[in-house]
Amino acid sequence: NTHTHIDTIYELEKAGLLNKTKIAEGGRKLRKNWNPSWVVLVGNSLVFFKDPKSQTPSSWKPGNSCPESSVDLRGAQLQWANNLSSKKNVFKLRTVTGNEFLLQSETDSLIREWFNTIQSVIDRLVSL
Ligand code: I3S
Protein backbone atom coordinates (compact mmCIF):
# COMPACT_ATOMS: atom_id res chain seq x y z
CA ASN A 1 0.00 0.00 0.00
CA THR A 2 1.47 3.29 -1.19
CA HIS A 3 0.42 5.35 1.84
CA THR A 4 2.07 3.00 4.29
CA HIS A 5 5.20 2.93 2.18
CA ILE A 6 5.41 6.75 2.02
CA ASP A 7 4.59 7.08 5.74
CA THR A 8 7.49 4.79 6.52
CA ILE A 9 10.00 6.59 4.33
CA TYR A 10 9.17 10.11 5.51
CA GLU A 11 8.03 9.32 9.07
CA LEU A 12 4.73 11.06 8.53
CA GLU A 13 3.21 11.71 11.94
CA LYS A 14 0.19 13.77 11.05
CA ALA A 15 -1.36 15.97 8.38
CA GLY A 16 -4.40 18.21 8.33
CA LEU A 17 -5.94 21.62 7.94
CA LEU A 18 -5.38 24.21 10.69
CA ASN A 19 -5.71 27.96 10.90
CA LYS A 20 -2.30 29.54 11.12
CA THR A 21 -0.72 32.92 11.67
CA LYS A 22 2.89 33.85 12.18
CA ILE A 23 3.24 36.35 15.02
CA ALA A 24 7.00 36.77 15.26
CA GLU A 25 10.03 36.43 13.01
CA GLY A 26 13.40 36.18 14.72
CA GLY A 27 11.87 37.58 17.89
CA ARG A 28 10.32 40.58 16.12
CA LYS A 29 6.57 40.85 16.42
CA LEU A 30 4.55 40.56 13.24
CA ARG A 31 1.02 41.62 12.43
CA LYS A 32 -1.36 38.65 12.53
CA ASN A 33 -2.67 37.28 9.28
CA TRP A 34 -4.79 34.18 9.89
CA ASN A 35 -5.08 31.73 7.01
CA PRO A 36 -6.03 28.11 6.61
CA SER A 37 -2.93 26.03 6.12
CA TRP A 38 -2.34 22.40 5.27
CA VAL A 39 0.01 21.29 8.03
CA VAL A 40 2.21 18.22 7.75
CA LEU A 41 4.23 16.86 10.66
CA VAL A 42 6.97 14.79 9.12
CA GLY A 43 10.28 13.76 10.66
CA ASN A 44 11.62 16.66 12.75
CA SER A 45 9.65 19.30 10.88
CA LEU A 46 6.29 20.94 10.72
CA VAL A 47 5.66 21.85 7.08
CA PHE A 48 3.05 24.37 5.95
CA PHE A 49 1.34 24.37 2.56
CA LYS A 50 -0.73 27.29 1.38
CA ASP A 51 -2.50 25.56 -1.45
CA PRO A 52 -5.55 23.45 -0.50
CA LYS A 53 -4.65 21.30 -3.50
CA SER A 54 -1.64 20.20 -1.48
CA GLN A 55 -3.93 17.90 0.47
CA THR A 56 -2.89 14.78 -1.40
CA PRO A 57 -0.44 12.29 0.08
CA SER A 58 1.91 12.66 -2.90
CA SER A 59 2.17 16.44 -2.74
CA TRP A 60 4.48 16.72 0.25
CA LYS A 61 7.09 14.43 -1.20
CA PRO A 62 10.38 16.25 -1.73
CA GLY A 63 10.42 17.88 -5.14
CA ASN A 64 6.67 17.76 -5.41
CA SER A 65 4.61 20.86 -4.64
CA CYS A 66 6.10 23.79 -2.77
CA PRO A 67 5.73 24.20 0.98
CA GLU A 68 5.06 27.76 2.08
CA SER A 69 7.44 27.29 4.97
CA SER A 70 8.72 24.71 7.37
CA VAL A 71 9.68 24.69 11.01
CA ASP A 72 12.45 22.70 12.67
CA LEU A 73 10.98 21.30 15.86
CA ARG A 74 14.33 20.71 17.56
CA GLY A 75 14.35 22.92 20.68
CA ALA A 76 10.93 24.34 19.85
CA GLN A 77 8.45 25.27 22.57
CA LEU A 78 4.74 24.67 22.57
CA GLN A 79 2.16 26.32 24.79
CA TRP A 80 -1.56 26.87 24.88
CA ALA A 81 -2.19 30.51 24.04
CA ASN A 82 -5.85 31.33 24.35
CA ASN A 83 -4.72 34.64 25.85
CA LEU A 84 -3.17 35.60 22.50
CA SER A 85 -6.33 35.42 20.44
CA SER A 86 -10.08 35.84 20.58
CA LYS A 87 -10.31 32.48 18.82
CA LYS A 88 -10.68 29.28 20.82
CA ASN A 89 -8.26 26.33 20.75
CA VAL A 90 -5.09 28.28 20.03
CA PHE A 91 -1.56 27.19 20.76
CA LYS A 92 1.76 28.88 20.13
CA LEU A 93 4.79 27.26 18.61
CA ARG A 94 8.12 29.01 19.15
CA THR A 95 11.24 27.89 17.31
CA VAL A 96 14.82 28.24 18.57
CA THR A 97 15.29 30.99 15.99
CA GLY A 98 12.51 33.07 17.55
CA ASN A 99 9.83 32.47 14.97
CA GLU A 100 6.39 32.22 16.53
CA PHE A 101 3.23 30.75 15.07
CA LEU A 102 -0.29 30.43 16.36
CA LEU A 103 -2.22 27.36 15.27
CA GLN A 104 -5.95 26.98 15.76
CA SER A 105 -8.89 24.70 15.06
CA GLU A 106 -12.57 24.98 15.90
CA THR A 107 -12.49 21.28 16.83
CA ASP A 108 -11.31 20.69 20.42
CA SER A 109 -10.25 17.07 19.95
CA LEU A 110 -8.35 17.86 16.78
CA ILE A 111 -6.30 20.70 18.27
CA ARG A 112 -5.49 18.57 21.35
CA GLU A 113 -4.23 15.81 19.06
CA TRP A 114 -2.02 18.26 17.20
CA PHE A 115 -0.68 19.73 20.43
CA ASN A 116 0.11 16.30 21.88
CA THR A 117 1.68 14.94 18.71
CA ILE A 118 3.91 17.98 18.14
CA GLN A 119 4.90 17.94 21.84
CA SER A 120 5.86 14.27 21.61
CA VAL A 121 8.10 14.98 18.61
CA ILE A 122 9.73 17.90 20.47
CA ASP A 123 10.28 15.66 23.52
CA ARG A 124 11.72 12.89 21.37
CA LEU A 125 14.20 15.33 19.80
CA VAL A 126 15.43 16.50 23.21
CA SER A 127 16.52 13.00 24.11
CA LEU A 128 18.36 12.35 20.85
O1 I3S B 1 -4.17 40.17 18.49
P1 I3S B 1 -4.90 41.10 17.58
O2 I3S B 1 -4.03 42.14 16.97
O3 I3S B 1 -6.17 41.64 18.15
O4 I3S B 1 -5.28 40.20 16.34
C1 I3S B 1 -6.36 40.45 15.46
C2 I3S B 1 -5.91 41.29 14.31
O5 I3S B 1 -4.69 40.79 13.80
C3 I3S B 1 -6.92 41.32 13.20
O6 I3S B 1 -6.35 41.93 12.07
P2 I3S B 1 -6.36 43.50 11.80
O7 I3S B 1 -5.97 44.16 13.07
O8 I3S B 1 -5.32 43.60 10.73
O9 I3S B 1 -7.72 43.86 11.30
C4 I3S B 1 -7.33 39.92 12.75
O10 I3S B 1 -8.33 40.01 11.78
C5 I3S B 1 -7.84 39.14 13.93
O11 I3S B 1 -8.16 37.83 13.48
C6 I3S B 1 -6.83 39.09 15.04
O12 I3S B 1 -7.36 38.57 16.23
P3 I3S B 1 -7.63 37.10 16.67
O13 I3S B 1 -8.26 37.29 18.00
O14 I3S B 1 -8.53 36.51 15.64
O15 I3S B 1 -6.35 36.30 16.80
Side-chain angles (χ1 to χ4, degrees):
N1 157 316
T2 310
H3 278 204
T4 310
H5 185 55
I6 291 170
D7 291 358
T8 306
I9 295 173
Y10 298 104
E11 296 179 77
L12 177 68
E13 306 269 0
K14 202 166 176 52
L17 201 60
L18 293 175
N19 294 315
K20 186 198 84 171
T21 182
K22 193 172 187 178
I23 58 164
E25 165 87 42
R28 301 175 81 142
K29 199 168 181 285
L30 296 176
R31 187 167 184 175
K32 275 183 188 166
N33 181 23
W34 284 102
N35 281 117
S37 179
W38 184 253
V39 184
V40 177
L41 180 56
V42 58
N44 303 346
S45 299
L46 201 59
V47 187
F48 302 118
F49 294 87
K50 204 176 225 164
D51 188 351
K53 284 189 304 234
S54 300
Q55 292 176 35
T56 63
S58 61
S59 59
W60 45 265
K61 281 192 290 188
N64 218 342
S65 174
C66 189
E68 186 187 13
S69 60
S70 94
V71 167
D72 183 359
L73 292 175
R74 198 177 294 267
Q77 291 178 326
L78 206 57
Q79 58 189 177
W80 289 107
N82 289 314
N83 56 323
L84 296 183
S85 176
S86 60
K87 301 181 194 303
K88 68 170 192 170
N89 300 335
V90 177
F91 65 74
K92 182 173 83 173
L93 175 66
R94 185 186 193 283
T95 68
V96 280
T97 55
N99 294 342
E100 296 183 357
F101 301 85
L102 299 183
L103 294 170
Q104 188 266 346
S105 167
E106 288 303 310
T107 310
D108 302 17
S109 57
L110 202 143
I111 201 72
R112 271 201 307 272
E113 273 178 32
W114 271 102
F115 185 95
N116 292 336
T117 312
I118 295 171
Q119 187 63 62
S120 72
V121 171
I122 291 171
D123 292 346
R124 190 179 71 203
L125 290 170
V126 168
S127 57
L128 285 181

